[in-house]
Amino acid sequence: MTSTPLTADDPSGRSAPRPGAVVGRLWRRDLDAYPERGRRYAYLAIVVLTTVVLYYALYIQYAVATSIITHYGMTYRYFVAVSVVGNAVGAFASLVAGLADRWGRANLVVYGLLVTGLLVLFGLPNAPNQGSYLALFAVVGFIEGMVLVATPALIRDFSPQLGRATAMGSWTMGPVLGSLVVTTVTSHTLATSSWQDELRYAGLSALLVFLLALVALRELAPRLRDQIMVSLRDRALVEARAKGIDGSGHARGGWRQMLRPDVLGSAFAISVYLLLYFAAVGNFVVYFATAFGYTEQRANALANWYWAANAVALVVAGLASDRLRVRKPFMVAGAVGSAVCTLFFTLDATRPATGYYTFAWLFVGIGVFSGFAYAPWMASFTETVERHNPAATATGLAVWGWIVRIVVAVSAAFVPIVVTSVTPLVDHGTQVAAAERTAGPALAVVAAHPALFAELAAYPPTAVPPALLAQAAQQVGLPGLRTVRQAQPQLAVLRQYGTQVQRAAKDNPGDWQTWWWVCLAGQVLFLPFVFLMSGRWSPKRARADAEEHRRSVERELAALGAAG
């Protein structure tokens, strides 16, 4: 294998830094030949590890949501706005990531890791106020939006179609393992660490992976990656063709080719299919805290069942899909299975007696089936894009990334609209509970004499008629009046928010159930779009296609050899 010369007239069209070969190597990462198996696996592993740590850094704030809200005095709606803005910015960053073919996909990944690590290690934990926190998180969302396009593009480049589902299954483990790392770390460290510490752990992890990617991550030159590679046996043909390609790497008409029903429709379908996943990332802690009284640690420990099962299923589904050479049957079976499990979860959402392990096993089912749907879908989507133009892979993934982030932003904005009860519970629930504990004796005194204290409440403390004061002293006693007077701040909280919080606590499970119905509808809506995507339903016909492709490659290689 030879490396790309560090010259100013390189055909890829990128401008190279001049300070020297070492500095140039940190920017110029093109490979002129398809890497051998060991190096290819190493590049894939670095991309997957990068994805894991970036999602760890992105998702950590949701695992400590209640602590962040309390620290900054945020309302729940403001915290949701942080998520909405971050995802909206990330959506448009996904479109900007078309620059991946000009700056380099690997460069976006490597230096995106650097910026994210610095922001999460130093920026977010030290944000002076909620406005600064929102702005910094928006920058993190922007970086993640670009990397969301660059990392799966690299996975596609280094994985022929016959191994694509396994590779994409590994990539889709990135957000899942990132979530698993979040819940595992927080469930074991929150008892002794602050929310700022949790963010710092994530930022430090990103910087460590940045150092690895900085020196080790490479990418295919455009003239190699812009071809379709069905199996590793195509390597010789792909490299031979590449010698006759100018290597500009810019797909003409790429955007126009990607604005097709099969690309747009399938990207929208997977986005709404993942509504429950997005809720798990952003709202499970709040849901289980408000509906079932779980602590942050307990809610994160419960979510581990989901993430662990999903991570295993993604790899197993990818291996099985590649072995059978079909995607669509896995997508349908996974979607139907996850919808059934989600249905049972939705029905249990309003039952206070539902136990921890009931939820845990439901999450295992949802995680397994959604893994069987998602890994083959990612492979099929890249193959659908390749059907139109393999040189426009980054563009197709940019369209997908934009749609996914828009759906996440819109769904996050609608959660407090649908689950109206969660806002008073998050904003005032802790305050009301503390007031009830402190004012317990005073509440007992007031409850024993409701008419008397209702009459006293009609006057300012310094303007109570002497006769009414004498009556209160006689009926309640001076110690009782003193107890009520000392608890006035807490009683004021209860008068202002108590009824509102009590009503919200009653409505909360039903409100969340409505949102779970929305998530279930998204899973059902996913099914018809499977029929638009590339790929066979029958393993037998898929094998026949592969055999015909093999013969075609042999004929073309023979023709190239005969031509000299």
Side-chain angles (χ1 to χ4, degrees), residues 56 60 63-64 67 180-202 205 295-298 300-301 304:
Y56 173 29
I60 184 63
V64 290
S67 298
L180 182 61
V181 171
V182 167
T183 54
T184 300
V185 172
T186 54
S187 61
H188 286 85
T189 61
L190 260 179
T192 56
S193 301
S194 66
W195 69 266
Q196 291 96 333
D197 291 331
E198 299 295 343
L199 267 64
R200 292 183 184 112
Y201 300 153
S205 300
T295 63
E296 283 181 332
Q297 282 181 286
R298 185 170 175 82
N300 284 314
N304 283 345

Side-chain angles (χ1 to χ4, degrees), residues 527-547:
L527 286 166
F529 288 92
V530 172
F531 294 86
L532 297 178
M533 302 185 74
S534 176
R536 297 288 194 183
W537 288 91
S538 166
K540 181 178 179 180
R541 297 189 67 180
R543 285 193 298 270
D545 289 345
E547 181 60 24

Side-chain angles (χ1 to χ4, degrees), residues 252-450:
R252 295 185 179 181
W255 287 103
R256 190 166 55 253
Q257 291 171 320
M258 293 304 105
L259 300 180
R260 304 285 183 86
D262 53 351
V263 175
L264 295 174
S266 54
F268 170 76
I270 197 64
S271 300
V272 295
Y273 176 81
L274 293 173
L275 281 174
L276 184 64
Y277 167 81
F278 302 143
V281 170
N283 296 298
F284 266 12
V285 170
V286 172
Y287 166 62
F288 282 104
T290 56
F292 292 91
Y294 285 15
T295 63
E296 283 181 332
Q297 282 181 286
R298 185 170 175 82
N300 284 314
L302 177 59
N304 283 345
W305 292 74
Y306 186 164
W307 308 130
N310 194 222
V312 173
L314 287 166
V315 176
V316 172
L319 289 167
S321 177
D322 283 337
R323 185 172 183 82
L324 296 176
R325 302 179 181 180
V326 292
R327 319 296 190 204
K328 293 178 179 178
F330 288 92
M331 288 189 269
V332 171
V336 171
S338 66
V340 171
C341 293
T342 303
L343 173 63
F344 284 110
F345 168 67
T346 302
L347 294 175
D348 284 338
T350 58
R351 298 169 183 166
T354 304
Y356 178 95
Y357 287 103
T358 299
F359 283 126
W361 286 111
L362 285 171
F363 287 167
V364 168
I366 295 170
V368 167
F369 284 114
S370 59
F372 269 74
Y374 193 29
W377 182 90
M378 281 298 303
S380 181
F381 182 76
T382 57
E383 291 158 6
T384 300
V385 169
E386 287 176 338
R387 182 170 64 186
H388 296 295
N389 184 353
T393 297
T395 304
L397 288 169
V399 171
W400 161 71
W402 183 81
I403 292 175
V404 166
R405 288 292 160 237
I406 288 295
V407 169
V408 174
V410 172
S411 66
F414 269 86
V415 166
I417 295 174
V418 175
V419 191
T420 55
S421 57
V422 74
T423 301
L425 287 173
V426 173
D427 291 352
H428 306 297
T430 302
Q431 186 182 9
V432 168
E436 287 178 338
R437 287 192 301 271
T438 303
L443 288 172
V445 173
V446 173
H449 308 277

Side-chain angles (χ1 to χ4, degrees), residues 193-229:
S193 301
S194 66
W195 69 266
Q196 291 96 333
D197 291 331
E198 299 295 343
L199 267 64
R200 292 183 184 112
Y201 300 153
L204 182 60
S205 300
L207 291 179
L208 291 175
V209 177
F210 156 72
L211 293 176
L212 172 64
L214 179 68
V215 298
L217 186 59
R218 297 290 177 266
E219 64 177 290
L220 296 182
R223 56 184 173 270
L224 288 173
R225 71 178 183 230
D226 288 352
Q227 302 181 59
I228 295 177
M229 180 179 270

Side-chain angles (χ1 to χ4, degrees), residues 227 233-242 553 556-557 560:
Q227 302 181 59
R233 289 193 296 267
D234 299 357
R235 175 182 174 180
L237 178 59
V238 167
E239 291 179 348
R241 287 172 178 165
V553 168
E556 189 170 350
L557 279 173
L560 287 172

